[in-house]
Each structure stands twice: as C-alpha cells, then as structure tokens.
C-alpha cells in the first residue's frame, strides 16, 4: 500500500493525555492511595506528591499549548469529588471546572475522563464495580460532574481501559494485585459485565447533561497477533480481553484506542518476544506499528462509521530519541490507516508528563520531564517535535 498523504485532516485532535492519580499527587481518598501504603500489596513505590499537577495544572497546560498541541485529555478524580457517599465537594467541582476553562483559554480543547482506574475508598469498601447499585452510584457521580462538563467540553471518556479493570480484578481474585503486564491475566467476567453496565449508565448521564457531548470509552488494545495456525486461538483469547469491550461501545459517539505494543499468540497462549527484541522500560516489545493494527482491528469490530480517537499511545524510555522514533513509526501507521479510509479523528500521546506509572516512577512515558523534588517541568525534544506537528498537521515525508 502506498501512503498518498501524510496530512492529518482538518479538525483532527492533536494532544497529550494524563490521568489524575498519576499526576496530581496526594489523592488521599482513593483506593490506590491506600493500596500503595499497604505492604501486602507489594507496590514498589507510592505516588505521594506525583507531579503536583493538582496545583500546577496551569503550567502543564501553558506548556502543552506553547508546544503546539490543540487538545488535552485529563481525568477528574471521583475520590475528590465524592469523598463520602452522596456528598459532593463544591470546591473540587470548581477546581475541575477551572481546569476546563483554563484549557479553553489556552486554545486546548479539553477531553475529560470521568474514571481512570481509581475509585473512592468507600466505593472499594462496598465491593467496587460488582457490588449492588455500583452502576447507579457511578451514574450519580457522573450527573454531579455536570458543572464541570456541561459547557465547553466536546469529548468525555466514561471509563478508562475497562478491559484492564476486568483483568486486574481477575488477577486480584487469583491473588495478584497491581497493574498487570501487557493485559494477559484472565479477566473477571462479573467485573466485565459490571463495567459495561456502568459505562452504559454513564453514557446516558452524560447525554442528559448535554446531548452535544461526544461520549465514549477508551480500550486497551494489546494487538494480538496470531502465530501461524493459531488464528482461532487468538480470536478466542482476544474476545474476553478486548472485543467484548469494543462491542459494548456500539451506539457511543467515538471509541478510544490505547496501544503500546503487540502480543503474539500461539496455540498455548501468549508467546514472549524474542530475547534480543528491543524492549522499553515497561519491558514491552518496541513496536511502533501497534497503533495501526489497533485502529484496523477496532474498526473491523465496531464498523467503519464509528469515529476512532487514539487516546493513548507512547513509550516508556529514558532515551528520548527512541521516543521520537517510536512516534514517527506510530504516526506513519496512523496516516496509513487514514489513507485506507479508517475513520481516525484524533491522536493524543501518552503522556504529557513523566508520571506515576501505577507502582513506580521509573517507566518514563512523558513528553515533559518533571523534577521529583522541585516539580520543575522540562519539555523533551520529543515534545517540541510532536507539538510542532500540531501546527503543520503534517508528518514530514522525510520522517
Ligand atoms: C494505559 C493507562 O490508561 C495509563 O494509566 C498507563 O499509564 C498507560 N497505559 C501506560 O501503561
């Protein structure tokens, strides 16, 4: 296939993503905070102050806007907004509303995620997603986010990586806590059903707030590739881990694609990448083409009309030149998908900042470095390069 155009269409979203717990710091009422301080959870380091973005979000947005990005995806924190059941903090709602307005004031279109892995401790204590009334409680929280999202927010993501939530629940039932490697443990079916119900309730709540909002959810795409002869095994392996969540997006306004690497599947299950394969700081195989496969697979499952947004894509590396190389390969794959008529409407890199990678600060996904002591932000060359494409909307052909 020849790539005829490396241009991104008009109106294409061009941004970077973050999540509250990973950057804000001191998310004291969340289940993750408690887990980070529970020795039994064996989490290597706690989030503590993170990037202090709770206080420094204006600086983060200034930088993204100056770099050339036009979109910023961030999440609002349920544990702050509803610290005890049914009590909603006006101050926290006002805080997130200021962020929405602050983004718009900097010509950054805000994309708001309502749930990004963390829940209030009280919600975890009552049994989490699979407890009675969980979907209704989530919808009530979403309704109470109306002052944040009712005006000036075009895209809302309900639940981030529901398939990873189901996988983590499956792993926890098997005695393993934390964020699993490349999505492989068996997902917990009850959790799958529960998060799908919560998503559907949240979509309804968002549409009740403002029907013009484009609402969807964001799926972790592991890019399962069948070894010869293992096509049927791969389809069977993938369905509960990915396709069931893509299918549940039917009727949404968009679907978020989140891809980083690939997973090869043989008749016995996942097959690790060869010993000599290049690996990133998360130990995932370096495979920039993943996002193209993820886009094509998602379009095949959900249908060609559904708008697809790459809501996360990136690499954990200490070598920023590898990050530029990764994004170059990834964006070639995105432009190739566009040329093939895949309905891609945006691309948001993961992540704006070096942040708390669910248990450790070592895997640095950021376009912008953050000094852990002073919180000083320093854009990396990759940030300057990727941001500049927001102005030209064109991937240089020499790339
Ligand atoms: C997906 C998650 O949404 C995000 O929280 C995480 O940091 C990245 N992938 C990288 O693992």
């Amino acid at each position: 296939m020849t790539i005829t155009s490396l241009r991104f269409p008009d109106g294409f979203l061009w941004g970077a993503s973050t999540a509250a717990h990973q950057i804000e710091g001191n998310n004291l009422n969340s289940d993750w905070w408690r887990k980070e301080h529970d020795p039994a959870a064996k989490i290597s380091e706690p989030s503590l102050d993170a990037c202090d973005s709770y206080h420094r979000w204006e600086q983060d947005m200034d930088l993204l806007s100056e770099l050339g990005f036009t979109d910023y995806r961030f999440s609002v924190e349920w544990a702050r907004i509803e610290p005890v059941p049914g009590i909603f903090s006006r101050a926290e709602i006002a805080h997130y509303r200021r962020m929405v307005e602050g983004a718009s004031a900097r010509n950054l279109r805000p994309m708001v995620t309502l749930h990004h892995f963390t829940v209030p401790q009280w919600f975890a204590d009552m049994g989490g997603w699979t407890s009675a009334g969980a979907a209704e409680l989530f919808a009530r929280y979403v309704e109470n986010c109306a002052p944040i999202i009712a005006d000036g927010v075009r895209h809302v993501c309900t639940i981030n990586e529901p398939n990873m939530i189901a996988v983590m629940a499956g792993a926890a039932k098997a005695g393993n806590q934390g964020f699993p490697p490349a999505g492989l443990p068996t997902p917990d079916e009850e959790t799958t059903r529960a998060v799908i119900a919560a998503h559907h309730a949240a979509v309804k709540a968002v549409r009740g707030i403002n029907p013009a909002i484009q609402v969807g959810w964001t799926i972790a795409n592991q890019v399962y590739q069948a070894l010869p002869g293992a096509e049927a095994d791969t389809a069977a392996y993938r369905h509960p881990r990915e396709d069931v969540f893509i299918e549940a997006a039917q009727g949404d306004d968009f679907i978020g694609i989140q891809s980083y690497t690939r997973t090869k599947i043989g008749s016995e299950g996942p097959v690790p990448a060869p010993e000599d394969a290049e690996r990133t700081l998360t130990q995932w195989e370096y495979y920039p083409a993943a996002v193209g496969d993820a886009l094509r697979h998602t379009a095949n499952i959900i249908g060609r009309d559904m708008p697809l947004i790459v809501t996360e894509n990136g690499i954990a590396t200490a070598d920023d030149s590898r990050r530029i190389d990764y994004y170059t390969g990834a964006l070639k794959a995105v432009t190739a998908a566009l040329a093939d008529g895949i309905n891609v409407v945006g691309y948001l890199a993961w992540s704006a900042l070096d942040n708390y990678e669910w248990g450790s600060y070592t895997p640095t996904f950021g376009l912008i470095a953050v000094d852990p002591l002073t919180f000083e932000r320093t854009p990396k060359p990759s940030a300057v390069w990727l941001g500049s494409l927001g102005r030209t909307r064109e991937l240089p052909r020499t790339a």
Side-chain angles (χ1 to χ4, degrees):
M1 202 242 9
T2 319
I3 300 175
T4 51
S5 166
L6 300 182
R7 264 196 84 75
F8 295 98
D10 289 344
F12 198 77
L13 282 68
W14 196 257
S17 298
T18 58
H21 188 77
Q22 295 178 265
I23 63 165
E24 284 183 342
N26 299 296
N27 186 17
L28 308 177
N29 285 319
S30 80
D31 63 332
W32 258 86
W33 182 273
R34 185 168 60 188
K35 197 151 60 175
E36 289 162 20
H37 298 277
D38 172 6
K42 298 199 180 68
I43 287 179
S44 43
E45 59 181 322
S47 55
L48 302 176
D49 288 328
C51 308
D52 192 30
S53 285
Y54 185 83
H55 301 107
R56 293 167 201 260
W57 60 267
E58 289 178 291
Q59 206 187 332
D60 299 339
M61 290 188 192
D62 283 344
L63 283 173
L64 290 173
S65 169
E66 283 159 20
L67 285 162
F69 293 102
T70 52
D71 295 83
Y72 180 39
R73 172 179 175 231
F74 59 89
S75 74
V76 297
E77 187 58 55
W78 187 4
R80 292 188 196 270
I81 292 173
E82 191 180 0
V84 285
I87 307 288
F88 294 87
S89 163
R90 286 167 200 266
E92 298 290 4
I93 289 169
H95 168 83
Y96 289 118
R97 180 64 202 168
R98 282 194 295 277
M99 286 184 70
V100 164
E101 290 177 1
S104 303
R106 292 164 175 82
N107 293 319
L108 287 172
R109 293 173 290 202
M111 175 186 284
V112 175
T113 306
L114 298 167
H115 176 271
H116 197 121
F117 289 148
T118 45
V119 296
Q121 286 175 14
W122 61 261
F123 184 78
D125 290 342
M126 60 171 249
W129 293 108
T130 54
S131 59
E136 291 73 19
L137 287 171
F138 184 58
R140 181 178 71 176
Y141 151 67
V142 174
E143 282 159 14
N144 278 276
C145 288
I148 305 171
I149 60 171
D151 293 310
V153 176
R154 182 148 168 80
H155 290 98
V156 167
C157 313
T158 58
I159 300 177
N160 179 70
E161 295 196 346
N163 46 342
M164 293 304 276
I165 298 176
V167 160
M168 284 187 269
K173 279 193 180 166
N176 305 311
Q177 299 216 42
F179 199 66
L184 301 179
T186 308
D188 176 55
E189 281 179 33
E190 207 189 338
T191 304
T192 297
R193 282 194 296 275
V195 289
I196 289 174
H199 169 61
H200 290 152
V203 168
K204 201 165 159 226
V206 170
R207 289 189 172 145
I209 292 169
N210 179 352
I213 295 175
Q214 306 289 293
V215 59
W217 67 351
T218 58
I219 311 298
N221 304 102
Q222 305 297 351
V223 182
Y224 296 109
Q225 293 183 347
L227 292 181
E231 287 75 14
D233 301 295
T234 304
Y237 189 85
R238 185 179 52 221
H239 191 265
R241 289 170 173 79
E242 192 164 319
D243 296 355
V244 73
F245 299 91
I246 299 174
E247 287 159 5
Q250 210 59 258
D252 292 358
D253 300 307
F254 73 93
I255 183 163
I257 309 290
Q258 314 209 140
S259 97
Y260 293 87
T261 186
R262 65 175 164 185
T263 306
K264 290 194 178 167
I265 305 289
S267 49
E268 307 287 307
V271 176
E275 277 299 306
D276 59 353
E278 179 177 350
R279 285 169 195 276
T280 69
L281 288 174
T282 41
Q283 296 309 312
W284 302 341
E285 183 189 359
Y286 177 88
Y287 187 66
V291 66
D293 300 357
L295 286 164
R296 287 166 204 274
H297 175 70
T298 305
N300 283 342
I301 300 285
I302 196 86
R304 290 236 162 181
D305 292 340
M306 175 67 82
L308 311 179
I309 303 177
V310 178
T311 40
E312 288 187 24
N313 181 232
I315 171 175
T317 178
D319 176 353
D320 198 50
S321 67
R322 293 312 285 151
R323 190 177 338 272
I324 293 179
D325 192 72
Y326 182 92
Y327 280 126
T328 303
L331 291 171
K332 280 185 183 163
V334 173
T335 49
L338 277 164
D340 283 350
I342 308 271
N343 190 10
V344 195
V345 300
Y347 181 91
L348 291 93
W350 184 271
S351 179
L353 305 170
D354 283 343
N355 62 44
Y356 183 63
E357 178 59 15
W358 307 109
S360 168
Y361 282 102
T362 305
T364 40
F365 280 94
L367 294 164
I368 300 170
V370 179
D371 184 304
L373 301 180
T374 64
F375 307 110
E376 192 189 341
R377 274 78 166 137
T378 310
K380 302 176 189 177
S382 56
V384 175
W385 176 78
L386 198 63
S388 73
L389 300 183
R391 296 196 188 92
T392 60
R393 300 278 154 163
E394 190 155 7
L395 186 65
R397 279 170 187 277
T398 50

